[in-house]
Amino acid sequence: MKILILSIGTGGRYDAAAKNISDYFSERGHIVRTVDYLTLAAPVSDALKQGHAFASRHMPHLYGIGRSIGEMSAPAPAKHVVGAFKALLESEGFDVVICVHISGALLVSAYRTQYASSPPSFFFTTDFYCPAGCAELNIDLVLLPHALLHDEFASAGVAESRLCVTGMPLSADILDSVPEHEARQALGLPEHGRVILLCSGTLGVGPIRRTVMRLAGALGPDDRLIVLCGTNLRLKRELELFNYNDTRISFEGMTDRMSVLLDAADILVTKGGSMISAEAAYKNLPIVYIDAIPGSDAENVRFMTHRGFAASGETAEVVARLTSSCLSGSLDPASMLALRCESFKDGSAAIYKAVNDFCEAMPVERRERKLLFVMNPVAGKLAVPKRLSDILEVFSRNGCISTVFPTEGAGDAERFASELAGDFDLVVCSGGDGTMSETAAGLIAGGHHVPVGYIPCGSTNDFAEYHVIPSDVCAAAQLAVTGGTSPVDIGRLSGRCFINAAEFGLFTRAAYSTPQKRKNFLGFYAYVLEGMKELGEIKSSHMTFTVDGESIEGDFIFGIVAAASSLTDSALEFFGQPVISGDGLFELVLIRQPSSPLELEGILRSLRMKDPNSSLVSFRRGRHISVTQEGELNWVVDGNLLVTKDSYDIEILPSRIDLIC
């Protein structure tokens, strides 16, 4: 599968969740791309990120109030963001979308509202609370990082059938724990003494300075305080200057050794990030929260502390006191750990299973489909190129990611279908019957059984007329992606496939020279009248046709072997013998050479009387035809010349293609 993960650059937990999910899927052979939601909002994305970082560091409470107000509602994404998301889906053809923040889930919902479909889409909530607007999301599954969130989401109106408890996806490093003494040795820390890990999050926010001062006052000679400042380099420099004499305290920015730091620590003091909380809980580490920024951090703290999974303090003094109490044993952290009861497990495998199970169980018509569009750009006075954007819009609106391959000459449609169709869910071709015939031949040559749709716009569209495919290109495009499938027989004469008919002799030029008005008014008899003009020019061919063991021999001036088309259907309906496209049978009409004006009159009488089995006109149905002839003969196979000689077979490939009609 090709998977799109929508993250957001406003918190390290979301990027971490996205990375952990991406790593797990990638290790199992899937193609994954992670996109920051804010980049879809360009050119304002950088300003949003910078504003978020500045406000959270320098005006945390004002920022928190604004964030809380924003999270009480579920604003729809801007129109240009939906457009950018649409372009992303169409350009890269993703099979699955996974959102790790409510903004991404709202974007998918807005896209589905406007365009009716999208790939299977999932919202992993990342934080330990139900965000506003979750019940209204048009999303397939909501994946929860903890089982105790299930009732909260259900009470908010999210259907239980859409809820799936997975757990928090953790990195391979976090899962690879080492004993405390090995971790301390790797970090150069004393084996004895207490280690406090203070984490200020990716942006380095919160009352870190005051908390460092209070915790420093409680350190013993062998104790250590490790402070993680994230991307806030100014905070790191200030703390290093203020505490430059105290070797018990060390400061780091962003780190790639979080797992070993957690293994070495006795307690974690942190802001209310959900990822660091889940990581510490997985490591069975006591947690004390510092004063949380209103919004998602505060909700995460509420979830953890109300259930006894962690403690929190509103001031630096309270945090330092709680930390000292946990380390001294006056506040037993064992009860905190026991309440968790191993409920914080890695959720990567469960997320993978939920996505796979849903996609496998999903009806085919619900899935985002990959569409190969084989387009004859010069057919029908450029009918399709002139409306290409409208056609692609029809495909997109009906859940298809389209790849367009324009033909440049004869044989291209067959080559494209043969070489490429196996990578697509359906094929649609545009052009005349020749393009449709080539596409069918390519599907057969490549061994593909992919449904095929047809947008008729050529000079000859008998196949489309027979199958009642609209002549309007957008209506035909709509049918191609919404219609049902019908099995269609394919003929093959001396290795050349045909969808309509193979014919020789008297009427072969008439089929393509008869005026359309005469075709519409007189039907097959129009071809008879036109063909009679050629009577003096056509030489008969001595041939033997063996149809399922029965032989017909003679000098023939005309023959037609029909698979299915409006032309052959009108010819055989003329004889009271309708063509049925999926019955696995050919229809064969032969007309012998008249030796006198009287016999010519007999042929015309047979046509007038609709008698298919006179002495000069023969009709047969069968599955296999063997032909022997004297010399060479020109056949017209779906409008293209094929020269045959000696002996050859005409075979039927029953129900070989599934036509969308």
Side-chain angles (χ1 to χ4, degrees):
M1 291 189 296
K2 189 173 184 180
I3 300 163
L4 169 65
I5 300 180
L6 281 178
S7 185
I8 192 166
T10 59
R13 76 196 77 165
Y14 307 114
D15 288 339
K19 183 180 186 305
N20 296 343
I21 294 171
S22 174
D23 289 347
Y24 196 90
F25 276 82
S26 297
E27 289 167 2
R28 283 146 187 83
H30 300 287
I31 301 170
V32 185
R33 182 183 173 193
T34 299
V35 172
D36 185 344
Y37 172 89
L38 295 180
T39 63
L40 300 175
V44 299
S45 58
D46 289 340
L48 286 172
K49 290 180 183 179
Q50 293 169 6
H52 174 268
F54 179 85
S56 60
R57 287 171 180 167
H58 302 289
M59 299 177 289
H61 286 284
L62 184 60
Y63 162 79
I65 292 170
R67 183 166 178 173
S68 295
I69 294 172
E71 290 177 353
M72 289 173 64
S73 61
K79 184 177 180 180
H80 77 278
V81 179
V82 178
F85 180 63
K86 177 177 180 289
L88 177 64
L89 291 181
E90 292 179 349
S91 64
E92 301 205 25
F94 293 103
D95 301 301
V96 168
V97 178
I98 301 174
C99 311
V100 296
H101 186 268
I102 186 66
S103 296
L106 290 168
L107 175 58
V108 170
S109 298
Y111 175 85
R112 284 183 164 183
T113 298
Q114 187 168 348
Y115 297 105
S117 181
S118 78
S121 301
F122 307 87
F123 173 33
F124 176 72
T125 63
T126 305
D127 289 304
F128 295 122
Y129 74 103
C130 180
C134 204
E136 288 74 38
L137 290 176
N138 186 356
I139 212 88
D140 293 305
L141 284 181
V142 178
L143 310 176
L144 306 178
H146 199 283
L148 293 177
L149 290 169
H150 182 280
D151 290 348
E152 180 180 343
F153 277 76
S155 298
V158 182
E160 293 198 30
S161 60
R162 293 168 54 213
L163 294 174
C164 180
V165 176
T166 60
M168 185 74 75
L170 303 176
S171 68
D173 287 343
I174 292 295
L175 300 177
D176 186 20
S177 298
V178 298
E180 180 184 281
H181 70 279
E182 291 183 16
R184 292 190 176 190
Q185 186 177 15
L187 294 170
L189 299 174
E191 184 176 345
H192 303 289
R194 303 169 302 177
V195 175
I196 303 171
L197 181 63
L198 173 58
C199 181
S200 64
T202 302
L203 297 177
V205 298
I208 303 301
R209 298 169 181 82
R210 296 193 304 275
T211 304
V212 169
M213 291 175 56
R214 296 298 179 182
L215 291 175
L219 294 177
D222 294 326
D223 296 337
R224 294 293 184 268
L225 172 61
I226 303 171
V227 183
L228 303 182
C229 302
T231 59
N232 194 339
L233 299 182
R234 178 180 177 181
L235 172 67
K236 180 174 179 289
R237 288 193 299 268
E238 289 179 358
L239 290 172
E240 286 173 337
L241 287 172
F242 186 78
N243 298 277
Y244 72 97
N245 283 330
D246 198 335
T247 57
R248 300 170 304 169
I249 307 174
S250 60
F251 304 94
E252 297 189 26
M254 294 297 292
T255 181
D256 59 0
R257 52 180 187 170
M258 181 62 77
S259 181
V260 70
L261 287 167
L262 291 171
D263 288 332
D266 291 295
I267 193 168
L268 172 70
V269 180
T270 182
K271 62 186 286 291
S274 56
M275 182 60 72
I276 187 63
S277 299
E279 291 171 342
Y282 178 82
K283 299 278 192 180
N284 285 321
L285 199 63
I287 302 171
V288 175
Y289 290 111
I290 57 179
D291 185 24
I293 296 176
S296 55
D297 279 9
E299 292 295 330
N300 291 328
V301 171
R302 178 188 62 80
F303 175 84
M304 296 292 288
T305 56
H306 285 196
R307 291 164 176 82
F309 297 160
S312 68
E314 293 185 358
T315 65
E317 291 78 11
V318 174
V319 168
R321 187 163 60 249
L322 287 171
T323 302
S324 297
S325 298
C326 287
L327 293 175
S328 67
S330 58
L331 179 63
D332 185 9
S335 59
M336 184 189 299
L337 304 182
L339 286 170
R340 296 174 188 167
C341 296
E342 298 185 352
S343 61
F344 290 86
K345 297 181 178 180
D346 176 36
S348 302
I351 293 171
Y352 183 84
K353 183 177 187 301
V355 171
N356 265 338
D357 288 353
F358 182 88
C359 292
E360 289 177 2
M362 187 175 62
V364 173
E365 61 270 17
R366 272 285 328 275
R367 301 176 190 169
E368 188 85 352
R369 296 172 293 170
K370 296 180 181 178
L371 185 152
L372 170 63
F373 185 24
V374 178
M375 178 185 72
N376 182 344
V378 298
K381 298 181 180 179
L382 308 179
V384 167
K386 289 177 180 177
R387 300 191 66 186
L388 182 58
S389 61
D390 296 331
I391 292 169
L392 295 179
E393 177 67 26
V394 170
F395 293 161
S396 175
R397 192 168 59 243
N398 288 278
C400 294
I401 301 296
S402 306
T403 304
V404 182
F405 280 84
T407 62
E408 296 181 356
D412 281 356
E414 180 173 353
R415 179 168 57 86
F416 293 154
S418 175
E419 296 177 359
L420 304 172
D423 295 326
F424 292 83
D425 298 303
L426 72 158
V427 175
V428 177
C429 68
S430 69
D433 284 354
T435 305
M436 179 65 218
S437 183
E438 277 196 24
T439 303
L443 293 175
I444 294 167
H448 307 303
H449 292 269
V450 179
V452 59
Y454 181 30
I455 301 176
C457 58
S459 57
T460 306
N461 302 305
D462 292 313
F463 184 79
E465 185 179 342
Y466 175 81
H467 290 284
V468 199
I469 296 173
S471 58
D472 178 78
V473 293
C474 284
Q478 180 72 27
L479 178 64
V481 291
T482 61
T485 59
S486 177
V488 173
D489 299 336
I490 300 297
R492 186 156 57 190
L493 189 157
S494 193
R496 176 79 64 82
C497 291
F498 58 92
I499 56 172
N500 287 332
E503 51 201 308
F504 69 89
L506 183 63
F507 304 119
T508 53
R509 279 189 290 171
Y512 302 97
S513 62
T514 304
Q516 187 64 48
K517 288 184 178 179
R518 194 180 301 171
K519 290 183 189 180
N520 296 339
F521 182 70
L522 295 175
F524 177 67
Y525 203 74
Y527 295 98
V528 176
L529 296 176
E530 194 75 17
M532 287 301 154
K533 298 177 183 178
E534 306 171 27
L535 188 57
E537 306 172 19
I538 300 297
K539 294 182 178 180
S540 64
S541 300
H542 190 81
M543 308 172 72
T544 300
F545 290 82
T546 303
V547 184
D548 292 346
E550 179 189 357
S551 294
I552 307 171
E553 184 176 0
D555 296 323
F556 299 105
I557 60 170
F558 171 75
I560 182 169
V561 181
S565 75
S566 62
L567 168 60
T568 54
D569 188 44
S570 66
L572 297 172
E573 284 279 11
F574 186 80
F575 292 123
Q577 302 290 340
V579 174
I580 301 172
S581 67
D583 62 355
L585 297 173
F586 280 126
E587 286 75 27
L588 169 68
V589 174
L590 297 170
I591 299 179
R592 288 175 171 80
Q593 170 75 51
S595 59
S596 66
L598 189 61
E599 287 190 346
L600 175 58
E601 176 62 29
I603 293 175
L604 295 175
R605 187 184 308 111
S606 293
L607 296 175
R608 285 196 301 269
M609 300 299 294
K610 300 186 178 182
D611 177 9
N613 285 299
S614 70
S615 60
L616 296 175
V617 180
S618 299
F619 169 80
R620 295 289 188 276
R621 247 191 194 103
R623 289 182 169 81
H624 184 271
I625 302 173
S626 295
V627 185
T628 59
Q629 67 189 45
E630 295 176 359
E632 293 185 345
L633 179 67
N634 292 340
W635 283 81
V636 176
V637 181
D638 275 352
N640 296 307
L641 179 65
L642 176 66
V643 180
T644 60
K645 61 181 179 178
D646 301 329
S647 61
Y648 45 91
D649 291 330
I650 307 175
E651 57 183 323
I652 192 85
L653 304 178
S655 302
R656 180 53 186 83
I657 67 170
D658 291 320
L659 180 70
I660 304 170
C661 59

